[in-house]
């Protein structure tokens, strides 16, 4: 018998735990032309802001020896642009739709949530952790008490299931996760990118206009895994693990550490269909081990 990879995330049924991470798959359209995106559990949209943003100037992506650094700066069509132009197709693709929302002020978040309340999708992923936006972005996800305020106010008006995306740059990731749960989040996802830096030695200056940028990919996996493990141990709400997942073994590690679902980001830049390969790898491994249901291995470590 084929193993079951179905998983319930805060009342949303995912056909399997594999989800495309925000900012690494657009709104799914281009990926759908390359592989059967409908076989995945979910897709997270690019981080939206209330108004459209052109993103940051200068270099936006920089390769490192074990991952990439990015300073895209939330380039996006804005919430109204998303609803009009991207949402209808994203909804039709098949996987659960997760809408990622960023902001520069609490009012931005609240107005974005109000507009999004008018459309149907599965989960709102509240991005309080973007390191690449000046004045705001990550600030909301570093200090627990600031995060508490955003989550409380968003929760009070948000009609969707709410998953808060945590920053690994937080002063205390476990305290931050607990506070999201206390304020009514239905789940958390972690981690976003790590604040990092690269210097162009020829020019003798930082590569990025904003000096610092977000590091993702294989380099961050062991740290992300540790954080997911720490957080999943203490929360009762579900955890989505993100950070450097490139192989089915990586995905299995996050699930064993307690994640109910996992997001694949940077790995798709090397092979856009990698999430399907991870899915197939997980399936055949489960079959060979006699694991009938993915939930059997969740949190066993
Ligand atoms: C180019 C790029 C753009 C990203 N944009 C967003 C975004 O808009 N919102 C967000 O919450 N995370 C964003 N992220 C973070 C990813 O969703 C993910 O949390 C992070 O890259 C770690 O996972 P990975 O190592 O599998 O890439 C972005 C990452 C990259 C590489």
């Amino acid at each position: 018998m084929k193993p079951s990879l179905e998983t319930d995330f805060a009342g949303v049924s995912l056909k399997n735990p594999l989800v495309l991470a925000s900012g690494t798959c657009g709104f799914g359209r281009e990926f759908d032309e390359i592989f059967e995106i409908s076989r995945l559990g979910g897709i997270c949209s690019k981080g939206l802001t209330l108004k459209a943003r052109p993103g940051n100037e200068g270099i936006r992506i920089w390769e490192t020896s074990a991952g990439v650094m990015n300073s895209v700066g939330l380039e996006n069509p804005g919430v109204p642009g998303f609803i009009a132009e991207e949402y209808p197709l994203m909804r039709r693709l098949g996987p659960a739709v997760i809408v990622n929302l960023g902001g520069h002020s609490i009012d931005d978040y609240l107005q974005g949530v109000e507009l999004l309340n008018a459309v149907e999708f599965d989960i709102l992923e509240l991005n309080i952790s973007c390191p690449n936006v000046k004045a705001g972005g990550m600030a909301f996800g570093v200090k627990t008490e600031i995060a508490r305020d955003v989550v409380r106010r968003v929760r009070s008006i948000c009609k969707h299931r709410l998953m808060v995306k945590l920053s690994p740059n937080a002063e205390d990731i476990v305290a931050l996760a607990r506070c999201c749960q206390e304020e009514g989040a239905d789940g958390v996802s972690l981690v976003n990118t790590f604040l990092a830096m690269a210097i162009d030695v020829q020019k003798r200056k930082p590569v990025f206009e904003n000096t610092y940028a977000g590091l993702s990919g294989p380099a961050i996996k062991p740290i992300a895994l540790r954080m997911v493990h720490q957080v999943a141990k203490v929360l009762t709400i579900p955890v989505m693990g993100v950070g450097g997942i490139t192989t089915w073994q990586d995905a299995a590690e996050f699930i064993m550490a307690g994640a109910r679902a996992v997001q694949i980001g940077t790995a798709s830049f090397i092979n856009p269909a990698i999430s399907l390969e991870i899915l197939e790898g997980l399936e055949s491994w489960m079959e060979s081990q006699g694991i009938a249901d993915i939930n059997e291995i969740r949190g066993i470590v």
Side-chain angles (χ1 to χ4, degrees):
M1 217 175 59
K2 266 199 157 290
S4 162
L5 277 91
E6 205 176 314
T7 184
D8 174 279
F9 193 92
V12 179
S13 167
L14 305 179
K15 55 174 103 62
N16 57 64
L18 294 176
V19 174
L20 296 175
S22 176
T24 62
C25 61
F27 299 98
R29 186 196 306 260
E30 291 81 5
F31 279 34
D32 192 42
E33 289 162 12
I34 300 173
F35 69 96
E36 266 181 289
I37 204 167
S38 60
R39 288 178 56 200
L40 297 179
I43 318 175
C44 293
S45 77
K46 172 66 193 161
L48 302 173
T49 46
L50 187 57
K51 296 203 180 97
R53 279 178 60 91
N56 291 337
E57 300 278 319
I59 288 180
R60 291 176 168 205
I61 298 266
W62 187 257
E63 209 170 322
T64 76
S65 48
V68 297
M69 293 170 64
N70 90 83
S71 183
V72 173
L74 290 184
E75 176 186 352
N76 79 93
V79 175
F82 164 74
I83 294 173
E85 286 148 36
E86 305 291 350
Y87 165 78
L89 177 79
M90 201 181 166
R91 183 74 275 178
R92 283 200 301 273
L93 290 176
V97 172
I98 302 175
V99 175
N100 181 288
L101 179 70
H104 304 281
S105 66
I106 292 200
D107 267 358
D108 269 9
Y109 280 112
L110 296 177
Q111 286 182 51
V113 170
E114 262 167 17
L115 293 176
L116 288 169
N117 274 342
V119 279
E120 267 179 37
F121 52 88
D122 299 287
I123 302 175
L124 181 81
E125 182 174 55
L126 193 68
N127 176 9
I128 56 167
S129 51
C130 184
N132 303 318
V133 181
K134 274 191 187 148
M138 196 174 76
F140 290 106
V142 171
K143 296 242 166 255
T144 307
E145 289 317 306
I146 300 180
R148 184 183 294 285
D149 193 33
V150 189
V151 176
R152 176 181 297 155
R153 293 174 66 181
V154 164
R155 173 73 289 172
S156 71
I157 61 162
C158 177
K159 297 202 172 128
H160 293 98
R161 287 182 187 83
L162 181 64
M163 172 166 85
V164 183
K165 184 158 180 186
L166 307 184
S167 170
N169 308 300
E171 53 185 14
D172 180 343
I173 193 94
V174 175
L176 185 69
R178 271 191 216 274
C179 122
C180 294
Q181 176 169 293
E182 281 160 19
E183 295 306 330
D186 300 296
V188 292
S189 50
L190 67 151
V191 293
N192 207 317
T193 53
F194 286 71
L195 201 58
M197 183 179 185
I199 293 174
D200 183 327
V201 288
Q202 300 302 343
K203 295 187 184 148
R204 303 179 182 203
K205 62 186 196 77
V207 164
F208 294 100
E209 296 271 319
N210 287 347
T211 309
Y212 308 123
L215 176 67
S216 59
I220 71 169
K221 198 211 84 188
I223 317 175
L225 184 66
R226 183 263 295 172
M227 290 181 164
V228 164
H229 186 249
Q230 286 179 315
V231 165
K233 264 200 308 203
V234 299
L235 293 198
T236 52
I237 56 173
V239 173
M240 228 182 247
V242 200
I245 297 173
T246 310
T247 61
W248 67 259
Q249 289 93 334
D250 294 337
E253 280 189 70
F254 274 82
I255 294 167
M256 287 183 181
R260 264 190 182 265
V262 293
Q263 296 184 5
I264 318 294
T266 303
S268 303
F269 294 164
I270 301 160
N271 170 7
I274 197 120
S275 35
L276 270 198
E277 289 177 18
I278 293 175
L279 172 63
E280 285 161 7
L282 269 182
E283 262 169 353
S284 25
W285 170 68
M286 286 171 64
E287 243 170 328
S288 72
Q289 298 285 306
I291 303 167
D293 185 334
I294 192 87
N295 294 300
E296 285 174 33
I297 59 157
R298 193 184 60 250
I300 60 170
V301 171

